[in-house]
Amino acid sequence: MRHEMRPRIMLLATPLLLAASACANSSDIADPAPRRTVSEKQAIVVLNHVASRAPHLSAAQFCQELAYQKKACAYVRKQADDFCLEPGPKPRVLRSRGIRATEESDGGRVLEIAGRTAGGQRYVSEFFVAVPDGKPRASTAVYWSGAGLGDSPFGEKNKVLPQSECGGEAPH
């Protein structure tokens, strides 16, 4: 999938462009299976599973177990860790939008979620779920960072970014 994730906690000038699918380019191989959609209920089940596991896993375990885009997950997770942001209580879903499959993307569902970090800061993030391997899975799974799709169906006005919780130290 070609949807881009834009981490909104980053103070770096380099934008993060994350593909939302671990699948090969459709022009490289034949598409053996039909593209699947993700219902809101399925996406919420994935979010709840990720939120229940997040506080109990190391960064490496988190990405290995919960994200299908492991490199992208590691990058976004490192950014959150650099800001000393840890997952807090389970977030709530504000709204949901299906992402239609196209020639360039598999489609899926994005949940706009709101919550608080373990340090108590408010965030609004977009949590993308697709079906890369036959079952709904989180793209990067890092839900507490304020990250979102680069071409968000909710627009750019939905940003709520947590600030660094590093005890007054500026992140690197």
Side-chain angles (χ1 to χ4, degrees), residues 53-67 70 73-82 85 87 140-142 144:
R53 297 290 297 141
H56 309 291
L57 300 171
S58 70
Q61 291 170 323
F62 177 86
C63 291
Q64 186 62 36
E65 180 179 320
L66 300 173
K70 294 176 186 1
C73 174
Y75 186 84
V76 176
R77 178 65 193 250
K78 181 181 180 329
Q79 290 177 326
D81 290 349
D82 286 349
L85 300 174
T140 63
V142 182
W144 62 96

Side-chain angles (χ1 to χ4, degrees), residues 99-130:
I99 305 292
R100 290 177 19 145
T102 66
E103 290 278 327
E104 294 82 32
S105 66
D106 293 331
R109 178 154 304 265
V110 62
L111 301 175
E112 182 182 53
I113 60 174
R116 297 208 175 261
T117 64
Q121 289 201 64
R122 185 170 175 262
Y123 63 83
V124 174
S125 297
E126 292 176 340
F127 186 81
F128 187 73
V129 178

Side-chain angles (χ1 to χ4, degrees), residues 31-164:
D31 192 3
R35 293 179 174 151
R36 297 179 177 105
T37 60
V38 178
S39 72
E40 183 172 338
K41 183 177 178 178
Q42 289 172 313
I44 291 171
V45 167
V46 172
L47 173 64
N48 289 341
H49 175 69
V50 169
S52 73
R53 297 290 297 141
H56 309 291
L57 300 171
S58 70
Q61 291 170 323
F62 177 86
C63 291
Q64 186 62 36
E65 180 179 320
L66 300 173
Y68 71 85
Q69 288 194 359
K70 294 176 186 1
K71 286 182 181 181
C73 174
Y75 186 84
V76 176
R77 178 65 193 250
K78 181 181 180 329
Q79 290 177 326
D81 290 349
D82 286 349
F83 279 76
C84 305
L85 300 174
E86 295 181 19
K90 183 177 96 173
R92 73 184 201 286
V93 176
L94 301 176
R95 54 190 170 163
S96 165
R97 183 82 41 90
I99 305 292
R100 290 177 19 145
T102 66
E103 290 278 327
E104 294 82 32
S105 66
D106 293 331
R109 178 154 304 265
V110 62
L111 301 175
E112 182 182 53
I113 60 174
R116 297 208 175 261
T117 64
Q121 289 201 64
R122 185 170 175 262
Y123 63 83
V124 174
S125 297
E126 292 176 340
F127 186 81
F128 187 73
V129 178
V131 188
D133 57 4
K135 67 178 185 169
R137 298 202 44 194
S139 175
T140 63
V142 182
Y143 61 88
W144 62 96
S145 68
L149 295 177
D151 55 351
S152 171
F154 302 123
E156 293 296 319
K157 303 276 187 198
N158 65 336
K159 298 176 186 178
V160 177
L161 311 174
Q163 300 299 308
S164 175

Side-chain angles (χ1 to χ4, degrees), residues 4-27:
E4 299 172 354
M5 296 283 296
R6 184 178 305 135
R8 291 177 255 177
I9 63 167
M10 231 171 54
L11 295 179
L12 303 173
T14 307
L16 173 63
L17 304 176
L18 302 178
S21 174
C23 300
N25 185 332
S26 61
S27 64

